[in-house]
Amino acid sequence: LFLSFNNASTKTDVTVPVLHVVQARLAYVAAEGELKQPFKDELPTRQAQLSTLQDTEEFDVLVVGGGATGSGCALDAVTRNLKTALVERNDFSSGTSSRSTKLIHGGVRYLQKAIMKLDYEQYMMVKEALHERSNLLDIAPHLSAPLPIMLPVYKWWQLPYYWAGIKMYDLVAGGQCLKSSYVLSKNKALELFPMLKKDKLVGAIVYYDGQHNDARMNLAIALTAARHGAAIANYTEVVHLLKKTDAGTGKEKVCGARCRDVITGNEFDVRAKCVINATGPFTDSLRKMDDGKNTNICQPSAGVHIVIPGYYSPDNMGLLDPATSDGRVIFFLPWEKMTIAGTTDTPTDITAHPIPREEDINFILNEVRNYLSPDVEVRRGDVLAAWSGIRPLVTDPNSKDTQSICRNHIVNVSDSGLVTIAGGKWTTYRSMAEETLDAAVAAHRLGGGPSKTVGLVLEGGQDWSPTLYIRLVQDYGLENEVAQHLAATYGGKAFDVAKMARVTGKRWPIVGNRLVSEFPYIESEVRYAVKEYACTAIDVIARRTRLGFLNVQAADEALPRIVDIMGKMLDWSDKKRTCNLFSLPWFFLYLEMGYRSRSEQLTGTTEITLDTQELCLIDRYTNRFHKFDKDSKGFITTVDVQRVLQNISVQIDENALHEILNEVDLNKNGQVELNEFLQLMSAVKKGQVSDSRLAILMKTAEESLDLRGPVTVDRSGGGV
């Protein structure tokens, strides 16, 4: 597969290969030795970056889009010693790049198609992706790791069939194979994945792919570009493209962009010899700014994922469903001590705020049920978060058949010189960026030499080691779980986060106050996030930490403290604080992260299980519950309980209160539903449960409230 474009200034065709055989120059690059790092010690502030964008007379390259591909283009350009700028209208990785399956993979299903259809293009796509998988695991060891994935087999004839395909996957990877795949007996498969359905299971095959923290990886790429001197700015949108008339040809050429700081509204021009369109699903918007006659090339497809509690899968073993009821592939993977399941693939409209559909969530749950033991009840209420990402499939504008979707990616240079990179996959972001810059350099005669990003270690990777977390525990007095999290998130930069941690006032841990007790995220991460260009509370809960993707209720509980810290650091007005505490999080958590769908399910379809003799008690227990659940949400949280306790002058430590609710929180979603409370009271009456702290607490509070008369409880902290 090749891309072709016309260089109008020379009237010659330039052809660049899109799919590479493993290149000759695969030797790793030592960033410290060969590349300049103007900001090795301290990153410039966002305001300083904006000043650079405004004050620089002309950049060599202006990249529009701060996802994985756009950030990769900026890093590739700046390490070629090109004067580089990048603007992103939202936050880095706010779109598709943070909503992936979290896999770094070559694509087993693509290899199957390549073999079955004798498709060389598909084969080369897999080979390239496997090379990039190996490189990505090397350059960001703190954010990525090999993950074994089990393919359960329920028919004897499928065992040799799947084994041959997986072995071919290993062979295509060659020397970059992570670990060799292997076959398991039925008993061994159940030992490693005890939740698996036993009936008719004949065995399993285990192969290895990579897994990563996608949003943090994207951010690491962008920050590495900034370290090397690229001027990058989030919340900076392109209003329109700048053009000038070429003296030689008389044609208009793109020479930059009019940009607007979304936060202040200030507009300014950024001039550049070359503008790169790396806007993912919004590719056509920028192409039409260039030429209103351009037809759409993006064919958006929505992929929904759900997060359920970690007990649904082993800590270090994923599952692949190779043939779902409608022919799609579903992954079932451990991630951040939770379990992630997905994805779907349905046509969708292009939007900056995709919302997961209830039918897609239920489709994934049904597929999960098909592979898990009947002993494991897969419940809709166990979905802690759900999101939809828009995959920007594209048609090649150079192809005669414009309706044919390109299976890889395309690079196109327009008559006015706008370079567009579209399509592709997360794993191959680096090679896509390299090909894009090769095209840009050729079309605009930029110079700068070849790409230097193979082996270029990303932000945090230089000083990381598997035992780094031990030093964090020993040197700073952090909890073991928190130290492991910091090491796996920030790599060598974890020490900078630890230095910003405040003393807890406890015997242990010495430093590191958690934002919520169930997760290892600490307050100093919010302070460090501001240094990483976080501008809103959503930036923190969604992309600097991953709390919003793991548990929407926990993210909601963490917001007041996050807003308080950011408000002080960024000097927010009361209006800005309110916006970050209520308006923005409501839309993000309630709609984009599936909070609405989940709440509707809990209040509408939760099944109550009480014996006939106890039905007379339902009203009493329900009334007790609603004295805490004043908004009739169908569930209560620590916030609800604390407010009632304050009205009766009872003080309970927040961490202790979390533990009390956690005892009854059967699906571990950070809240207690009416269903769970009624089941608890049934068990208490039967003597199956004794000394339930929540049951005693709520009964005591109810009696105190009855003695004091009616009390109005205002949920001034918000919630949905």
Side-chain angles (χ1 to χ4, degrees):
L1 178 66
F2 293 86
L3 66 92
S4 297
F5 58 90
N6 182 263
N7 189 334
S9 62
T10 61
K11 297 184 179 180
T12 59
D13 285 330
V14 181
T15 302
V16 180
V18 172
L19 290 175
H20 290 268
V21 185
V22 178
Q23 301 170 5
R25 49 184 175 80
L26 288 184
Y28 289 138
V29 177
E32 299 85 356
E34 297 188 19
L35 300 171
K36 298 176 183 177
Q37 276 193 316
F39 304 107
K40 186 175 182 179
D41 297 325
E42 189 77 17
L43 283 168
T45 64
R46 179 177 179 273
Q47 189 55 52
Q49 296 281 35
L50 288 169
S51 296
T52 301
L53 288 173
Q54 296 176 59
D55 298 340
T56 301
E57 184 176 347
E58 185 181 50
F59 289 95
D60 292 317
V61 174
L62 168 62
V63 181
V64 182
T69 305
S71 298
C73 287
L75 179 57
D76 192 284
V78 75
T79 51
R80 296 188 193 214
N81 293 319
L82 298 175
K83 194 178 295 184
T84 305
L86 179 147
V87 293
E88 160 60 46
R89 72 173 181 180
N90 204 296
D91 187 27
F92 304 114
S93 197
S94 58
T96 307
S97 295
S98 63
R99 303 174 191 227
S100 72
T101 312
K102 323 305 179 192
L103 284 178
I104 310 170
H105 63 131
V108 174
R109 66 185 186 276
Y110 295 129
L111 183 60
Q112 180 189 28
K113 292 177 182 177
I115 295 172
M116 299 298 290
K117 297 181 180 180
L118 299 178
D119 190 329
Y120 183 71
E121 180 189 330
Q122 291 266 19
Y123 168 79
M124 290 306 301
M125 186 171 69
V126 173
K127 190 172 182 67
E128 179 185 46
L130 289 172
H131 160 59
E132 293 301 324
R133 179 189 71 177
S134 175
N135 181 67
L136 195 49
L137 288 167
D138 284 337
I139 65 177
H142 57 304
L143 292 170
S144 59
L147 176 71
I149 300 175
M150 181 181 293
L151 198 163
V153 180
Y154 289 90
K155 296 178 181 178
W156 280 107
W157 69 267
Q158 290 180 333
L159 200 57
Y161 173 76
Y162 285 136
W163 178 84
I166 294 298
K167 275 301 172 187
M168 181 62 72
Y169 194 60
D170 291 348
L171 289 172
V172 173
Q176 295 169 329
C177 178
L178 301 180
K179 291 184 181 180
S180 182
S181 58
Y182 54 90
V183 177
L184 293 174
S185 66
K186 175 180 179 178
N187 289 338
K188 190 64 178 177
L190 291 171
E191 181 182 329
L192 293 176
F193 208 119
M195 310 83 176
L196 205 58
K197 184 172 68 175
K198 304 174 185 177
D199 188 33
K200 296 182 180 180
L201 180 69
V202 298
I205 301 167
V206 175
Y207 74 98
Y208 287 80
D209 256 328
Q211 188 179 50
H212 69 153
N213 184 334
D214 54 2
R216 290 295 315 183
M217 185 73 80
N218 190 158
L219 186 63
I221 299 166
L223 294 179
T224 305
R227 294 274 182 202
H228 285 86
I232 67 172
N234 54 350
Y235 293 99
T236 305
E237 67 178 351
V238 171
V239 179
H240 61 80
L241 295 174
L242 303 178
K243 291 189 176 183
K244 65 180 179 181
T245 302
D246 185 275
T249 64
K251 294 182 178 180
E252 283 196 327
K253 294 291 183 181
V254 174
C255 63
R258 179 73 173 177
C259 297
R260 184 174 75 91
D261 182 349
V262 174
I263 295 176
T264 65
N266 180 43
E267 291 192 6
F268 54 91
D269 290 341
V270 179
R271 299 196 173 273
K273 297 173 184 175
C274 171
V275 176
I276 294 176
N277 174 11
T279 53
F282 303 96
T283 294
D284 291 318
S285 297
L286 207 64
R287 291 180 74 246
K288 289 184 177 181
M289 282 187 190
D290 177 32
D291 184 351
K293 297 178 182 178
N294 280 331
T295 58
N296 290 343
I297 63 171
C298 185
Q299 307 291 327
S301 173
V304 172
H305 294 81
I306 64 172
V307 170
I308 51 182
Y311 55 68
Y312 274 100
S313 66
D315 292 337
N316 193 37
M317 179 69 74
L319 186 74
L320 168 63
D321 177 358
T324 62
S325 56
D326 65 351
R328 290 182 281 194
V329 172
I330 290 287
F331 286 99
F332 190 65
L333 310 167
W335 183 66
E336 299 287 323
K337 298 189 177 180
M338 295 294 180
T339 301
I340 181 173
T343 179
T344 60
D345 185 7
T346 53
T348 186
D349 295 326
I350 296 175
T351 172
H353 306 287
I355 298 171
R357 300 186 309 169
E358 185 61 31
E359 51 263 47
D360 288 329
I361 294 173
N362 286 321
F363 167 79
I364 296 172
L365 287 173
N366 286 332
E367 293 303 323
V368 168
R369 291 187 187 102
N370 291 337
Y371 273 87
L372 295 188
S373 168
D375 297 338
V376 180
E377 183 184 359
V378 181
R379 301 172 296 189
R380 176 60 181 82
D382 288 341
V383 177
L384 306 176
W387 67 85
S388 176
I390 299 178
R391 185 184 178 205
L393 303 174
V394 290
T395 56
D396 189 344
N398 296 324
S399 172
K400 293 180 181 179
D401 179 12
T402 57
Q403 298 304 309
S404 178
I405 292 179
C406 180
R407 285 169 290 186
N408 193 22
H409 59 271
I410 62 104
V411 178
N412 173 260
V413 180
S414 72
D415 291 338
S416 64
L418 177 68
V419 181
T420 295
I421 169 67
K425 53 194 289 188
W426 223 118
T427 305
T428 57
Y429 86 89
R430 192 212 62 81
S431 61
M432 290 163 59
E434 178 180 346
E435 291 158 12
T436 304
L437 264 296
D438 286 345
V441 167
H444 295 275
R445 299 179 177 181
L446 298 176
S451 174
K452 300 181 179 69
T453 53
V454 172
L456 177 63
V457 179
L458 299 181
E459 174 90 350
Q462 294 90 342
D463 301 317
W464 178 85
S465 74
T467 57
L468 183 146
Y469 76 94
I470 297 175
R471 289 176 54 198
L472 291 171
V473 174
Q474 294 176 338
D475 294 353
Y476 294 94
L478 289 163
E479 290 178 82
N480 186 60
E481 184 186 11
V482 170
Q484 288 180 329
H485 152 67
L486 294 182
T489 303
Y490 303 94
K493 300 296 180 183
F495 294 101
D496 295 338
V497 182
K499 289 174 185 175
M500 300 174 77
R502 303 285 173 84
V503 175
T504 64
K506 304 175 184 177
R507 184 184 64 81
W508 189 263
I510 298 172
V511 301
N513 294 300
R514 294 195 182 206
L515 290 170
V516 286
S517 62
E518 300 96 327
F519 291 89
Y521 302 115
I522 58 175
E523 292 178 355
S524 64
E525 291 183 77
V526 182
R527 301 181 186 97
Y528 193 75
V530 174
K531 292 180 174 290
E532 294 182 323
Y533 306 122
C535 299
T536 71
I538 298 302
D539 298 343
V540 175
I541 64 173
R543 292 169 288 275
R544 303 313 184 278
T545 73
R546 305 312 306 275
L547 192 54
F549 279 78
L550 295 171
N551 190 315
V552 289
Q553 181 64 43
D556 192 36
E557 290 180 15
L559 277 171
R561 186 61 187 134
I562 291 172
V563 170
D564 183 52
I565 294 170
M566 293 187 75
K568 290 176 181 176
M569 293 188 69
L570 298 173
D571 195 25
W572 282 348
S573 64
D574 290 342
K575 182 179 179 181
K576 191 77 175 277
R577 286 173 182 261
T578 301
C579 180
N580 275 271
L581 189 58
F582 299 112
S583 306
L584 293 176
W586 180 88
F587 194 91
F588 177 74
L589 294 175
Y590 192 70
L591 297 177
E592 293 185 54
M593 289 292 111
Y595 205 167
R596 178 182 64 178
S597 295
R598 187 174 178 285
S599 298
E600 289 172 352
Q601 288 291 317
L602 289 172
T603 55
T605 62
T606 301
E607 183 178 345
I608 299 174
T609 55
L610 282 173
D611 291 345
T612 306
Q613 297 95 327
E614 298 167 343
L615 292 180
C616 58
L617 300 175
I618 288 182
D619 286 343
R620 181 196 301 177
Y621 296 147
T622 301
N623 289 335
R624 182 179 299 172
F625 184 86
H626 284 304
K627 288 184 178 179
F628 289 79
D629 179 24
K630 282 292 184 180
D631 295 335
S632 299
K633 306 180 301 299
F635 60 86
I636 59 173
T637 68
T638 55
V639 175
D640 298 309
V641 178
Q642 281 280 28
R643 285 173 183 149
V644 173
L645 295 180
Q646 287 173 2
N647 282 313
I648 59 174
S649 302
V650 174
Q651 296 292 327
I652 294 182
D653 178 72
E654 183 180 357
N655 290 331
L657 192 55
H658 272 287
E659 292 175 3
I660 292 172
L661 262 68
N662 196 48
E663 292 173 357
V664 186
D665 181 13
L666 301 177
N667 51 23
K668 305 305 177 189
N669 60 2
Q671 58 196 32
V672 174
E673 289 92 36
L674 176 60
N675 161 272
E676 291 172 325
F677 179 69
L678 292 177
Q679 288 185 351
L680 167 68
M681 297 311 299
S682 173
V684 169
K685 290 296 293 182
K686 293 176 181 176
Q688 295 172 340
V689 173
S690 60
D691 301 323
S692 167
R693 292 189 289 177
L694 182 65
I696 296 171
L697 179 66
M698 292 181 71
K699 181 181 179 182
T700 303
E702 180 187 41
E703 292 172 348
S704 298
L705 289 172
D706 289 342
L707 289 173
R708 294 164 60 99
V711 177
T712 300
V713 180
D714 296 322
R715 284 181 56 84
S716 58
V720 295

